[in-house]
Amino acid sequence: MLTTDVLVIGGGATGAGVAWDAALRGLDVVLVDRADLATGTSGRFHGLVHSGGRYAVKDPAAAEECAHENRIVRRVAGAAIEDTGGLFVTTPFDDPVYADQFAAGCRATGVPCEEIDPAQALKEEPRLNPAISRVFRVPDASIDVWQLVWALARGAQDRGARVLPYHEVIAIHRESDEVRGARLRNSRTGEQLDVEARVTVSASGAWAGRIAELAGIEGVHVMPGRGIMIAMAHRLVDTVINRCQMPTDGDIIVPIHTVSVIGTTDVHTDDPDDHSVLQGEVDAMLDDGERLVPGFKSARALRVWTGVRPLFEDRKEGVASTRDVTRAHALLDHSQRDSVSGFLTITGGKLTTYRLMAEETVDAVCRQLGQARPCTTASERLPGSQDGRYYHLGDRLGRREDTLLDDQLICECELIPRRALEQAIRRQGTADLDDLRRVLRLGMGPCQGGFCIYRATGILHGLDGLDAPAANAALLEFVSERWKGVFPILYGDQLRQARFDEWIFQGVLDVGHLPTGPVSPGDTIAHECVR
Ligand SMILES: Cc1cc2nc3c(=O)[nH]c(=O)nc-3n(C[C@H](O)[C@H](O)[C@H](O)COP(=O)(O)OP(=O)(O)OC[C@H]3O[C@@H](n4cnc5c(N)ncnc54)[C@H](O)[C@@H]3O)c2cc1C
């Protein structure tokens, strides 16, 4: 049994933000997630720190909120952010009238925006559609969400918080009209653990309705809106490029680390764990890319994935004002809404506004505890971001050049040296190559793990003392996971790469016949992939 002031359910950006905020205010915190941190929507999003421009016409309140938070997140989380800047461009496919509405909307909502000459934009971004007629510069940026979420979690840990990934909430402890904590199940060992908390915060995004149901609370309806994104090899653009039109599908390209990501769609689904990718969505997305960057479809597509938007609709009887499905965030204080104390739900919103969502939530926690503890997350820099510098694309290469002769390179695409891999294995305490992928970007480049993952498995085997069947299982699970995102976009160079990877895994390693530990659900796919 653990006891704490605040139990936070959900280790996405919102939950990790709540943990960091509460720990900074001196509260004792336990943060749990059913899987690794940032593997829900936060780990499956588009990677954009919104300037607010996207919402300047359609949703002025959201635009103001994003503009405000953009400034703060840049200040406190610089190491996770690349200051790419953003452009809104009017292509021949966009209504030219929108451009003036956009400029007026930015002025009205405080989104910094400067109109520039299209010729200047084409000089900066030569791959852009040469027929663009209007261009506006805004302070969009890209963000590495795993770096952000782990920095939030580590910052909280440094202040005493306990962070428990792979711990699923299977029951909420409720006594009469009070929530007293939850029961967790370790998803790896099956062991159960009770947490007694003075306040329990559900920051479980698209799963918030399910957690509320565990507490016996009805009407918290979160409708998952599924969207796909496609990572293209290389940086086709170095600036976030938005179509200057009412927000729609496939109208943003975000340069992030070594790739450019186009997104997204919005398809209703009933299941937040539905990650299906429809061929029609992929085709439409590539067509959309072509409108912004001619030649987009013949560039190399690396991978496709999906995320689910937590779109909140309050279906509780008598709550009339919030019946609309909303993209804004919703903080439900269940002591007011349902007369159940010790329980809060925070859901919806955007990654860009995670800090504000956390601030409002911990304010509500403090009210429930009857304590006045001011929020400091707008000024306290995160671990790793103390020097206020942004991440820069050349940083890894710069570090690599310092150790060229004394540190073996494990992943050529993402320039990951052996020492960094070994440090991450020890720090994360994991034998899961996918966990390491997220914190290092291992296997996320053009070969999708073809060249690096068997090397990494060998190192994991040696360092962690994994026996051979367990190491084989780790390798197979990684290959299976990668295959899910590669399979729907196989054409051109990436198809050639996939065939080559198949020869490596099948021809050199004969992975189809490796002895593994207990069969994991992913193995079937891996065997199909290397058939
Ligand atoms: C396609 C798409 C693109 C997007 N792009 C952007 C963008 O570019 N910029 C932007 O600002 N926003 C974007 N968003 C929105 C943004 O990604 C989300 O609003 C944000 O990530 C939600 O974070 P969260 O922490 O609230 O939820 P999540 O990250 O989903 O975290 C919830 C966590 O709860 C955990 N959980 C669930 N059930 C349990 C349980 N029983 N026990 C323990 N843990 C549990 C899950 O594992 C999950 O990790 C995008 C969303 C989508 C879908």
Side-chain angles (χ1 to χ4, degrees):
M1 157 87 83
L2 299 177
T3 54
T4 186
D5 292 327
V6 190
L7 167 64
V8 185
I9 304 169
T14 309
V18 169
W20 163 242
D21 186 321
L24 277 177
R25 296 194 209 200
L27 294 167
D28 187 42
V29 179
V30 172
L31 170 66
V32 302
D33 198 288
R34 63 180 188 161
D36 199 13
L37 299 191
T39 47
T41 308
S42 297
R44 300 176 151 272
F45 87 131
H46 200 169
L48 171 61
V49 183
H50 286 284
S51 58
R54 182 164 177 80
Y55 306 106
V57 177
K58 195 177 177 191
D59 187 346
E64 279 174 22
E65 218 168 73
C66 286
H68 184 251
E69 287 303 306
N70 177 299
R71 280 190 286 272
I72 296 176
V73 176
R74 280 167 171 270
R75 190 166 62 232
V76 298
I81 288 178
E82 187 184 347
D83 184 18
T84 58
L87 298 176
F88 277 75
V89 301
T90 306
T91 73
F93 308 95
D94 305 319
D95 179 0
V97 171
Y98 185 82
D100 286 330
Q101 294 170 3
F102 174 79
C106 287
R107 273 194 303 278
T109 53
V111 175
C113 168
E114 175 204 5
E115 179 154 19
I116 63 168
D117 188 345
Q120 174 63 28
L122 288 167
K123 208 164 143 191
E124 292 173 20
E125 290 296 347
R127 286 199 176 91
L128 267 183
N129 188 330
I132 50 175
S133 53
R134 306 272 302 269
V135 183
F136 300 90
R137 199 193 292 286
V138 295
D140 286 338
S142 65
I143 185 162
D144 181 323
V145 71
W146 295 297
Q147 199 165 342
L148 171 77
V149 169
W150 277 104
L152 290 163
R154 292 233 162 76
Q157 263 177 329
D158 291 346
R159 284 161 177 79
R162 285 156 287 178
V163 178
L164 305 177
Y166 294 103
H167 280 76
E168 181 180 6
V169 169
I170 53 169
I172 297 282
H173 297 316
R174 178 169 162 180
E175 284 172 24
S176 180
D177 288 336
E178 193 182 357
V179 166
R180 306 283 296 267
R183 172 158 298 171
L184 316 177
R185 182 179 51 218
N186 184 322
S187 351
R188 285 171 160 162
T189 63
E191 280 168 44
Q192 297 194 2
L193 174 67
D194 287 308
V195 182
E196 189 180 284
R198 296 168 73 194
V199 180
T200 299
V201 173
S202 167
S204 50
W207 295 265
R210 295 185 182 173
I211 299 292
E213 268 172 29
L214 289 179
I217 289 171
E218 288 173 2
V220 178
H221 184 70
V222 185
M223 195 167 77
R226 186 172 54 73
I228 73 160
M229 287 137 288
I230 301 177
M232 308 299 289
H234 311 303
R235 302 262 290 218
L236 298 175
V237 289
D238 281 318
T239 314
V240 174
I241 305 293
N242 307 259
R243 293 255 303 268
C244 195
Q245 59 171 4
M246 269 296 181
T248 181
D249 288 356
D251 56 353
I252 312 181
I253 304 177
V254 181
I256 179 157
H257 289 282
T258 52
V259 300
S260 336
V261 179
I262 186 159
T264 169
T265 48
D266 193 357
V267 179
H268 170 70
T269 172
D270 292 322
D271 177 6
D273 292 302
D274 170 12
H275 291 300
S276 48
V277 174
L278 307 177
Q279 195 56 50
E281 283 181 286
V282 171
D283 294 343
M285 194 62 52
L286 294 174
D287 286 341
D288 288 328
E290 194 70 30
R291 294 188 178 103
L292 276 168
V293 173
F296 193 91
K297 285 164 81 172
S298 46
R300 179 169 173 174
L302 283 187
R303 179 170 184 78
V304 59
W305 70 94
T306 63
V308 285
R309 286 177 192 81
L311 303 175
F312 174 69
E313 178 187 26
D314 203 326
R315 288 194 177 165
K316 185 176 162 68
E317 287 288 314
V319 182
S321 59
T322 51
R323 286 199 79 85
D324 283 346
V325 177
T326 175
R327 282 177 188 234
H329 62 265
L331 172 64
L332 307 180
D333 182 333
H334 296 287
S335 64
Q336 292 163 6
R337 182 183 181 271
D338 309 282
S339 305
V340 175
S341 64
F343 190 52
L344 299 161
T345 295
I346 175 77
T347 185
K350 295 163 200 65
L351 192 119
T352 306
T353 57
Y354 82 90
R355 193 212 63 85
L356 178 66
M357 293 164 70
E359 176 175 349
E360 289 175 9
T361 306
V362 184
D363 284 350
V365 168
C366 290
R367 279 196 297 278
Q368 292 228 355
L369 293 175
Q371 298 171 353
R373 293 172 184 251
C375 174
T376 55
T377 54
S379 54
E380 188 79 31
R381 289 196 166 124
L382 288 171
S385 292
Q386 286 91 348
D387 62 7
R389 276 187 68 234
Y390 293 124
Y391 158 83
H392 176 252
L393 183 58
D395 286 351
R396 270 194 184 183
L397 184 59
R399 283 199 298 274
R400 175 69 198 146
E401 280 176 348
D402 290 341
T403 57
L404 264 184
L405 300 177
D406 61 7
D407 199 358
Q408 182 192 359
L409 194 57
I410 302 302
C411 172
E412 286 90 349
C413 305
E414 295 290 338
L415 294 179
I416 300 167
R418 182 177 184 129
R419 223 174 283 156
L421 175 64
E422 291 181 350
Q423 278 166 1
I425 293 171
R426 293 200 177 99
R427 190 183 58 228
Q428 299 298 118
T430 182
D432 187 323
L433 290 161
D434 219 32
D435 291 353
L436 296 167
R437 170 184 69 80
R438 286 185 288 274
V439 291
L440 292 171
R441 296 186 62 77
L442 179 72
M444 285 174 82
C447 81
Q448 289 290 294
F451 299 141
C452 61
I453 213 60
Y454 57 87
R455 296 175 192 152
T457 308
I459 291 167
L460 189 64
H461 174 49
L463 209 70
D464 232 22
L466 284 183
D467 61 18
N472 292 340
L475 174 76
L476 276 173
E477 215 166 295
F478 185 91
V479 175
S480 308
E481 270 308 308
R482 288 282 91 187
W483 175 245
K484 287 181 198 163
V486 169
F487 170 71
I489 43 100
L490 276 186
Y491 64 88
D493 284 341
Q494 202 56 19
L495 177 56
R496 291 184 193 97
Q497 179 73 53
R499 291 286 292 148
F500 188 49
D501 287 353
E502 184 186 338
W503 288 330
I504 294 175
F505 289 117
Q506 184 76 307
V508 179
L509 296 173
D510 194 18
V511 291
H513 300 100
L514 286 177
T516 59
V519 177
S520 68
D523 285 358
T524 333
I525 305 161
H527 287 274
E528 272 172 25
C529 142
V530 296
R531 194 171 44 213

